[in-house]
Structure formats: structure tokens, C-alpha cells
Amino acid sequence: MLAAVESGDQQGARQAMEDHVGQIQDDLDGGAAGQPETSAGGQQAAEGQQTAVV
């Protein structure tokens, strides 16, 4: 999301935000039995995303 905003890619930023909000909604709805997704190594899947606090 940040990279899209910094580069002026409005469509990319919009899509990244929609994806992010969709993931949050899925998490709030319980997702996979209310548990975060994990990789084979047992770490939470971050998919290269970072959370910004504003």
C-alpha cells in the first residue's frame, strides 16, 4: 500500500487498501476457526504487508 501511495499509483493504493480491509473483515468474521493463517514453519502469514500507525 505504501509503495503504491509513494509512487502515485492511485489504483494500486486503492486495491491494496480494499484487499487489506477485506482481510480484516475475514479475520473479524472468524476466518479459519478464528485462527490466523500460519506458514509451514508456524509463523503468521504476513504476505509482505506492514501495518502503519497513523
Side-chain angles (χ1 to χ4, degrees):
M1 197 175 341
L2 179 59
V5 170
E6 288 178 336
S7 70
D9 179 4
Q10 293 179 349
Q11 288 297 93
R14 180 183 307 270
Q15 186 61 54
M17 180 54 87
E18 289 176 3
D19 293 346
H20 177 64
V21 170
Q23 181 62 55
I24 291 170
Q25 186 63 51
D26 288 346
D27 292 345
L28 291 173
D29 289 342
Q35 300 298 315
E37 291 184 33
T38 58
S39 66
Q43 298 176 348
Q44 275 187 285
E47 298 179 21
Q49 296 178 1
Q50 295 178 348
T51 302
V53 177
V54 289

